[in-house]
Amino acid sequence: MALEVLALRGLGLGDLLTAVPALRALRRAYPGHRLVLAGPSAPAALLPVDEVIEMRGPGPVPRRGPDVAVNLHGKGPQSTAALRATGPGTLLTHGGDGPPWRDDVHEVRRWCDLLEWYGVPADPDDLYLGEGDRSGPVVVHPGAAYPSRRWPPERYAALVAYLRGRGHEVVVTGSAAEWELAVRVAGLSGARVLAGRTDLPALAELVRDARLVICGDTGVAHLASAYRTPSVLLFGPVSPELWGPPKQGPHTVLWKGDTGDPHGTVPDPGLLRINVDEVIEAMSL
């Protein structure tokens, strides 16, 4: 049976992309092993893994006997227990014999620091998936997983109207469930609505080649980071020091300095203090 490293990251697109440096570090540290991700299968083509076990959440993990199991999901205890239940030869995780969990560290560095604790060199800057030609349209992505991270649609609509009025091609992206939101944001400006019409590889290609990406704290923001696509990112309840783009990239982050509930049911007050003129000023077009 082939040697195997099993990494658990049963989270969404943005969360997965922050783990790319750690996954690459595992690939280098265990060159003779198959690298298996327990997580969502849709982003698999973007990730340096050999196999994906489709799952969401902290477990249970439907696998037995990996040589090495790595908890890239969270601080547990569910995720740690789920990996321990697979019967690994070695378990790398926070707590116990591993490093203590810290709330004040960027998500990319968190997983690299975990591996470094166990003697696996990992570079937080090893984040990139390539670069596009910047010949594509401006991508506006108004949705987010939770209402607290969603800037008001009428403000996105004002941005789209501004961009279209100056001759820029604009596309509005989102999931199928966000179709109505995207139509509202596009308005009568002539922007194309692609919500629900792109699978993940097509969305990734669109972001890779985009002239500019405008969105909140979402998976699309992390795609822009991964492809070094210029972006204007609107942060609300979560500090960009914890989840923001690389400081050396072509990204502008707007944040009012407050923190709140990232899973809240209403837009974060700090996010609402970002106005349309500030976003327009941040755009380098």
Side-chain angles (χ1 to χ4, degrees), residues 4 17 25 41 51 60 64 78 122 125 164 184 196 202 205 221 234 244 270 282:
E4 182 176 290
L17 291 174
S41 59
E51 179 185 348
R64 292 296 176 267
Q78 286 177 288
D125 291 331
R164 290 291 298 150
R184 183 177 173 187
E205 184 176 338
L234 287 60

Side-chain angles (χ1 to χ4, degrees), residues 151-152 155-156 158-159 162-163 212-215 231-235 251-257 268-285:
W151 203 49
R155 299 189 195 180
Y156 275 114
L159 286 181
Y162 172 87
L163 289 164
L212 177 70
V213 170
I214 305 171
C215 66
S231 64
V232 178
L233 308 178
L234 287 60
F235 272 68
H251 314 289
T252 301
V253 177
L254 300 178
W255 182 58
K256 294 301 181 177
D268 179 78
L271 184 62
L272 293 179
R273 290 203 297 274
I274 300 171
N275 62 51
V276 173
D277 288 341
E278 288 177 281
V279 181
I280 290 173
E281 186 177 350
M283 296 187 301
S284 55
L285 292 173

Side-chain angles (χ1 to χ4, degrees), residues 19 21-22 43 49 57 76 80 89 97 101 134 143 179 202 204 206 212 216 254 270 285:
V49 299
T80 298
D97 295 330
W101 181 272
R134 306 291 177 262
W179 166 259
L206 186 67
L212 177 70
L254 300 178
L285 292 173

Side-chain angles (χ1 to χ4, degrees), residues 43-282:
L46 306 178
L47 303 173
V49 299
D50 298 305
E51 179 185 348
V52 176
I53 303 169
E54 175 68 39
M55 62 168 285
R56 288 292 185 108
V61 181
R63 200 71 160 201
R64 292 296 176 267
D67 298 275
V68 181
V70 187
N71 188 355
L72 301 180
H73 184 87
K75 59 183 175 182
Q78 286 177 288
S79 52
T80 298
L83 285 174
R84 189 171 284 119
T86 67
T90 301
L91 175 61
L92 312 186
T93 187
H94 286 89
D97 295 330
W101 181 272
R102 292 176 53 191
D103 291 322
D104 61 343
V105 66
H106 193 284
E107 190 71 3
V108 174
R109 178 165 288 282
R110 178 189 311 286
W111 307 114
C112 292
D113 287 350
L114 170 67
L115 298 185
E116 292 274 3
W117 177 279
Y118 288 101
V120 176
D123 180 3
D125 291 331
D126 194 9
L127 187 68
Y128 302 109
L129 301 178
E131 291 191 44
D133 58 16
R134 306 291 177 262
S135 64
V138 176
V139 173
V140 175
H141 187 86
Y146 294 92
S148 59
R149 304 182 211 169
R150 296 177 198 153
W151 203 49
E154 61 270 17
R155 299 189 195 180
Y156 275 114
L159 286 181
V160 170
Y162 172 87
L163 289 164
R164 290 291 298 150
R166 281 149 184 79
H168 296 291
E169 182 185 4
V170 180
V171 299
V172 184
T173 58
S175 66
E178 293 168 334
W179 166 259
E180 291 185 3
L181 170 64
V183 169
R184 183 177 173 187
V185 167
L188 300 176
S189 68
R192 285 188 294 147
V193 174
L194 296 183
R197 296 182 174 180
T198 55
D199 58 13
L200 183 54
L203 177 62
E205 184 176 338
L206 186 67
V207 171
R208 182 196 67 196
D209 292 333
R211 186 173 182 186
L212 177 70
V213 170
I214 305 171
C215 66
D217 179 13
T218 69
V220 168
H222 292 286
L223 274 176
S225 294
Y227 288 118
R228 293 189 177 95
T229 301
S231 64
V232 178
L233 308 178
L234 287 60
F235 272 68
V238 178
S239 168
E241 292 296 320
L242 302 178
W243 281 91
K247 287 182 169 50
Q248 66 271 27
H251 314 289
T252 301
V253 177
L254 300 178
W255 182 58
K256 294 301 181 177
D258 297 332
T259 58
D261 181 4
H263 307 118
T265 57
V266 296
D268 179 78
L271 184 62
L272 293 179
R273 290 203 297 274
I274 300 171
N275 62 51
V276 173
D277 288 341
E278 288 177 281
V279 181
I280 290 173
E281 186 177 350

